[in-house]
Amino acid sequence: MSELKDGKYIGKGKGFKHDIVIQAEVKDGKLVNPEIIDEKDRTEKSANTLLDEAKSTSKFEVDAVSGASITSKAFNEALEDIRRQASGEKADTNTETTLKDGTYTVDVKSFKENQGLPGTGKLTMKVTFDNNKISDIEVPEYTDSPVIGGMAFNLLKNRIIDNQSMDVDAISSATVSSNAYFEGVNQAIEQAGGDPKAFANRKLEKHVPENIELHTDLAIIGDGMAGFSAAIEARDQGIKAMLIDAGETYSNSTARAQGFVMGADTDEQKRRGINDSSEHFYEDLMKVYGDEPKVEPKMLKLLADKSASYIKFLEDIGMEWSNVVNIAPKEPRLTKRAHTIKGMGTTLMGVFAKAAKEKGVDVKLGVKVDELIIKDGKVIGLKATAINGDKLTIYAKGVLVAAGSYTASPEMVKKMNPRMKNIEVIVGNGDGSSIRFFNQAKAQIVSVPYLQFMYYYYGASWGDRFPEAIPESPTLPNYDVLSVDGGGHRLASEDDFTFEFTKRCWDNGYQEGYAIYGQKVADKYPNMTDIGLTTKTAQGKPFGYKENTIEDLAKDVGIDPEELKKTVDRYNELCEKGEDEDFGKNPKNMIKIEAPYYILRMPEICTDGYTGAKINEHAQVLDINDNPIPGLYAAGSCADSAVMGIDYYGDGMSLLNCGVFGREAAKDLADKIK
C-alpha cells in the first residue's frame, strides 16, 4: 500500500438514494475525525453505527451492520475513496470489460411484506449477455409488490440496457428492491467473467432541465386511494384530472394495505346475505369514536352514508371482492363490512391504474411538488420538479392534497408526537409535504398527539423470521396470551380488536404493552417464543424474558411485581372457572399461565399520522375561521382527524375515508366548473 499523505479529504460512496459523503483527516497513516457530511437516506442509525466504529478503530474499512448491507458498502466505499486520495492513487475509470455470452441466474435478498410489515424477501433474476452487452434482464420471481418492485424493475431494466451502464439511480419509491436488482446484475456480470466497476464507470449523459407550463382542471398531489379515486371521479364528471406523485412507482400506503374497504348496505353484502345499513354502521362508529374530541359526528355520518356508493364505484372500475368479513369477533365490529380484495392493496392499485389510463387521467410519476401557487387567497395551481430536473408550473382550477401524512419524516414525527418515544417501526409513506402545503395556504391544522399505532409484538430487526401468531396484531392476532400495560393491569379482552387495548394503554400513560403466558402457550407457539428470547427491540432491549416467577418477569420490564402477580392470579382464577367475568374473552382462549413464565414486549407499531388539515363534507380545506380556502381540497391521512381516533374502528376504514373524500373533492370542483 502506498504511503498516505496527511491532510483533510472528502470521500463518497453510493448509498440507497444518495451518496454517503464522509469528511476525515488522514494523520500518520490513520483515519482521524471522520464525519458524515451528506447522508440523506433513511439509514441514519446504521450509518452512525458505522461512523462510531470508524472513529474507534481509525481504519479505512468497518464491519457491515446487519440489515444495512447497502449502507455499509457505501460507507466503506467512501472510506476507500479517502484512502485512495491520500495515497495518490488514481480513481479506476476503466469502462471496458469482457463478458461470456449466455444467460446467468442469480438470487439476492430483496423486500417482502408480511402482515403489512417490512421484512426480507428474495429476488430471482436472469441476465443475458450478448457480444459484451446486457441484452436482457428478466425477473421471474420476486417478493415485493408488482406495483412497487415490479414497476421499478421495468424502469431499471430499460435504463441499464439502453445505456449499457450501472450508473443508474435507485428508484426512490422502491429503494430496497432497486438495490437488490443492482446487486443481482453485478453478480451476473461477475458470473460472466466481467467487471461490474466497468459498467458503473460508464457515466450517463445529464439531462438539461426545461421549464414547462401545463394546465388542468383538478391537480392531485398523491397517487394513493384518495388521489386515484378523485382522478377517476373527475373524469366521470367530465373534467380534466392530473395525478402527480414524487415516486416513480405506486409505493404508497394503499399499495401496502391489507386489502379491506369498509362498507355498509352494499350490493356485495346483500349478495352474501349480510344484513346491514348505513345507520347501523354510523351507530357502531360512534360507539368507537364518540368520545374522541377531534371527531365530528356529521363527518362520520357522511362516511357511513357514502360507503355503499363507494364500494359500487370500485366495482364499476373492475374491483372484485373475495369476501366480506368482520375484523373482530365482538361488537361494535361484529358486522361483516370489510370488503376483502384478493391480492390486497397491490390488486387495488392495479385496478386504479388501469381505470385511470382508460378514462384519460394524466398521470405524472417522478414529479415532486415544491409549492402551491396562491393568488389573492385562492389556490390556482402548483410548482413542481420532475426527476430529470424539469421545472413544471401547473395551473389548475382546484388542487387536491392527498400526499399522505408525515410518518416518513423522523424529524416531524418527533416534533409533532413527543410522547411517542418507543416506536419500533413506521410503515407510512407521507414525507410531511402535505402539512407544508397546508401551512403555505394558512389552513387550519388539527393537531393530534399520537400517530395511528398499536402496541403489539413485532421487531424491526426480525427480517424473515416471523411468529405463528402475534399478540395484539390486527391481522394475525394471538388470543391465547394475557395482555397488560406498564402498570401490570389487564385493560381489555385479548380477543377484542387491538385498538381497544392500545387506547387504554396510551391513556394510562405507558409506552408499551406486554404479553404474558406460560409453558403451555410457549409450546404451542415456539417461533413466537424463540424470537422473543433471542432478539432485541429498536431501543436495544431484549424482546422477551423467561423466568420461574411472575415477580422476576415484572422486574425484567419494570412492572410492579405485586400488581402483575395480582393480575396473573386473577386471570388464572378466571381460566379455572372457564369464564372471563371481567372482559368476556372466549373461554377457548383462556389458558392458565403456569411456570416457567414468559413476557414479550409490545412496542409502538405505527402506520400513519392523524395531524392534518381540517376539511368539510366537500373535502374543502378550511382556514382558521372555518371558511373554505378557494381551490384547495384534501383527502386521506393528511386530513382524517374528523373521522379517525386512537381507537381505530378497523382495517378498511382508512381506505374508505380516502376514497369517499377524494370523490367528494372531485364532485365539488366539477359542480363549480359546471
Side-chain angles (χ1 to χ4, degrees):
M1 184 181 290
S2 304
E3 184 177 341
L4 302 184
K5 182 179 180 181
D6 289 356
K8 287 187 177 181
Y9 301 91
I10 294 176
K12 294 182 180 180
K14 191 175 181 62
F16 269 123
K17 303 177 188 176
H18 310 276
D19 288 340
I20 289 181
V21 184
I22 298 174
Q23 178 178 278
E25 288 183 66
V26 174
K27 191 172 183 181
D28 299 328
K30 294 183 177 180
L31 187 75
V32 180
N33 298 324
E35 293 294 340
I36 299 172
I37 59 175
D38 187 11
E39 201 286 297
K40 301 186 181 77
D41 208 355
R42 292 189 216 165
T43 50
E44 181 179 352
K45 186 175 180 180
S46 57
N48 284 327
T49 299
L50 295 164
L51 182 64
D52 289 341
E53 184 184 343
K55 287 180 177 179
S56 65
T57 64
S58 298
K59 294 181 179 180
F60 293 93
E61 184 175 2
V62 295
D63 293 332
V65 173
S66 176
S69 58
I70 300 297
T71 303
S72 300
K73 182 179 178 183
F75 194 94
N76 278 324
E77 283 178 0
L79 295 184
E80 171 59 19
D81 189 19
I82 291 172
R83 188 209 63 76
R84 180 188 56 74
Q85 293 176 54
S87 70
E89 297 174 13
K90 291 185 178 180
D92 181 3
T93 58
N94 177 50
T95 61
E96 299 301 320
T97 189
T98 301
L99 302 164
K100 296 176 185 176
D101 288 356
T103 299
Y104 299 84
T105 301
V106 295
D107 291 321
V108 293
K109 288 184 178 180
S110 188
F111 186 84
K112 181 181 181 180
E113 293 251 345
N114 196 336
Q115 299 297 315
L117 298 166
T120 302
K122 190 178 81 166
L123 173 65
T124 298
M125 302 177 65
K126 291 185 176 182
V127 184
T128 301
F129 301 101
D130 183 26
N131 195 25
N132 279 334
K133 291 184 177 181
I134 302 173
S135 59
D136 194 18
I137 307 173
E138 296 179 75
V139 186
E141 245 184 282
Y142 60 93
T143 52
D144 198 356
S145 161
V147 295
I148 302 175
M151 288 180 69
F153 301 151
N154 288 330
L155 292 169
L156 294 172
K157 172 182 176 176
N158 293 334
R159 292 171 189 177
I160 290 171
I161 292 178
D162 289 349
N163 296 285
Q164 290 299 306
S165 168
M166 291 296 288
D167 183 35
V168 174
D169 289 333
I171 303 302
S172 61
S173 47
T175 52
V176 176
S177 293
S178 295
N179 284 290
Y181 193 91
F182 294 148
E183 178 66 20
V185 175
N186 285 335
Q187 285 188 24
I189 292 171
E190 289 178 340
Q191 285 186 27
D195 181 7
K197 286 185 179 179
F199 280 85
N201 289 338
R202 299 172 184 176
K203 302 304 178 185
L204 302 186
E205 184 178 341
K206 299 297 182 183
H207 171 75
V208 178
E210 301 177 45
N211 293 318
I212 301 171
E213 182 177 303
L214 301 169
H215 296 262
T216 190
D217 291 328
L218 178 60
I220 303 160
I221 309 172
D223 65 358
M225 189 86 161
F228 266 110
S229 297
I232 292 169
E233 181 64 38
R235 297 300 296 137
D236 287 346
Q237 294 287 334
I239 65 174
K240 292 182 289 184
M242 184 182 293
L243 190 67
I244 306 155
D245 197 272
E248 294 180 86
T249 68
Y250 297 130
S251 180
N252 48 57
S253 296
T254 303
R256 300 195 186 281
Q258 288 299 290
F260 300 110
V261 185
M262 285 289 176
D265 196 26
T266 69
D267 292 340
E268 185 67 11
Q269 284 178 310
K270 293 170 186 174
R271 287 191 286 265
R272 294 175 180 271
I274 301 167
N275 185 27
D276 195 14
S277 68
S278 61
E279 291 79 10
H280 185 200
F281 188 19
Y282 172 66
E283 290 168 2
D284 285 347
L285 290 175
M286 285 300 294
K287 288 174 184 175
V288 173
Y289 294 125
D291 62 347
E292 294 287 347
K294 311 288 186 181
V295 168
E296 299 179 47
K298 68 175 183 179
M299 298 288 272
L300 276 183
K301 184 70 165 59
L302 183 144
L303 205 57
D305 289 345
K306 297 282 186 177
S307 65
S309 64
Y310 186 64
I311 295 296
K312 179 66 164 54
F313 167 83
L314 292 176
E315 292 172 355
D316 288 344
I317 63 171
M319 183 56 60
E320 295 180 357
W321 312 108
S322 62
N323 206 350
V324 181
V325 300
N326 54 318
I327 41 79
K330 294 182 177 180
E331 295 287 5
R333 300 175 173 93
L334 185 59
T335 303
K336 294 179 178 180
R337 296 191 177 108
H339 292 63
T340 308
I341 302 164
K342 186 177 182 181
M344 304 189 293
T346 294
T347 299
L348 179 57
M349 289 307 303
V351 169
F352 273 138
K354 183 175 183 289
K357 183 178 181 180
E358 290 172 350
K359 291 176 181 287
V361 175
D362 187 356
V363 178
K364 296 191 179 302
L365 300 181
V367 176
K368 187 177 187 301
V369 177
D370 300 314
E371 62 179 332
L372 303 177
I373 301 174
I374 304 174
K375 184 177 181 181
D376 299 328
K378 181 179 181 179
V379 177
I380 60 170
L382 54 87
K383 293 185 178 182
T385 303
I387 200 165
N388 64 0
D390 288 345
K391 295 293 183 179
L392 309 182
T393 300
I394 301 171
Y395 291 103
K397 297 180 175 66
V399 173
L400 169 66
V401 179
S405 63
Y406 55 90
T407 48
S409 169
E411 296 80 11
M412 292 185 73
V413 169
K414 186 176 181 179
K415 179 181 178 181
M416 298 166 71
N417 307 98
R419 237 193 84 182
M420 302 196 74
K421 298 178 180 178
N422 190 35
I423 295 175
E424 181 69 19
V425 66
I426 297 182
V427 295
N429 292 280
D431 64 359
S433 57
S434 295
I435 303 293
R436 179 161 50 84
F437 301 142
F438 298 144
N439 284 330
Q440 183 192 350
K442 298 180 181 178
Q444 183 177 167
I445 303 292
V446 180
S447 180
V448 180
Y450 46 76
L451 302 171
Q452 184 182 109
F453 80 103
M454 297 144 279
Y455 296 106
Y456 75 89
Y457 177 57
Y458 176 74
S461 63
W462 289 358
D464 56 359
R465 299 180 70 187
F466 220 76
E468 302 90 346
I470 302 174
E472 294 300 335
S473 163
T475 54
L476 190 67
N478 188 331
Y479 298 148
D480 293 339
V481 301
L482 164 67
S483 297
V484 301
D485 67 8
H489 306 120
R490 190 177 181 217
L491 307 177
S493 171
E494 290 75 16
D495 59 5
D496 276 330
F497 199 48
T498 180
F499 289 92
E500 297 291 336
F501 175 83
T502 294
K503 176 180 172 62
R504 291 163 176 79
C505 191
W506 172 267
D507 288 346
N508 288 348
Y510 296 107
Q511 297 294 309
E512 67 182 358
Y514 306 92
I516 300 167
Y517 56 97
Q519 190 60 46
K520 188 172 181 180
V521 172
D523 292 339
K524 186 176 179 180
Y525 304 103
N527 291 343
M528 178 186 79
T529 300
D530 182 64
I531 291 170
L533 297 179
T534 58
T535 63
K536 292 187 177 181
T537 70
Q539 310 301 323
K541 299 176 181 178
F543 242 113
Y545 302 86
K546 175 183 178 181
E547 300 287 1
N548 290 320
T549 69
I550 293 296
E551 290 85 351
D552 285 340
L553 275 191
K555 292 174 184 177
D556 287 334
V557 295
I559 295 176
D560 181 273
E562 289 185 12
E563 287 298 322
L564 186 58
K565 181 68 164 57
K566 190 187 304 181
T567 298
V568 173
D569 287 347
R570 172 59 178 166
Y571 184 77
N572 280 342
E573 177 187 333
L574 297 172
C575 289
E576 290 176 351
K577 288 184 177 181
E579 181 183 1
D580 185 3
E581 298 170 345
D582 295 344
F583 295 104
K585 182 175 179 177
N586 192 322
K588 74 176 184 179
N589 299 114
M590 299 287 291
I591 300 174
K592 191 175 181 181
I593 301 172
E594 296 178 314
Y597 305 105
Y598 300 84
I599 190 167
L600 303 174
R601 296 181 187 275
M602 299 192 293
E604 296 165 343
I605 308 298
C606 309
T607 53
D608 264 313
Y610 286 129
T611 293
K614 185 176 183 180
I615 61 173
N616 63 16
E617 61 272 28
H618 303 297
Q620 294 173 291
V621 176
L622 305 180
D623 64 17
I624 57 173
N625 297 314
D626 281 341
N627 296 316
I629 297 172
L632 186 59
Y633 300 86
S637 57
C638 63
D640 62 4
S641 60
V643 293
M644 300 287 177
I646 191 169
D647 190 5
Y648 183 57
Y649 182 79
D651 295 334
M653 277 302 297
S654 287
L655 294 188
L656 174 64
N657 168 56
C658 290
V660 166
F661 286 104
R663 290 183 75 203
E664 291 305 305
K667 291 175 184 177
D668 187 74
L669 181 63
D671 287 344
K672 286 179 168 56
I673 291 174
K674 292 172 183 177

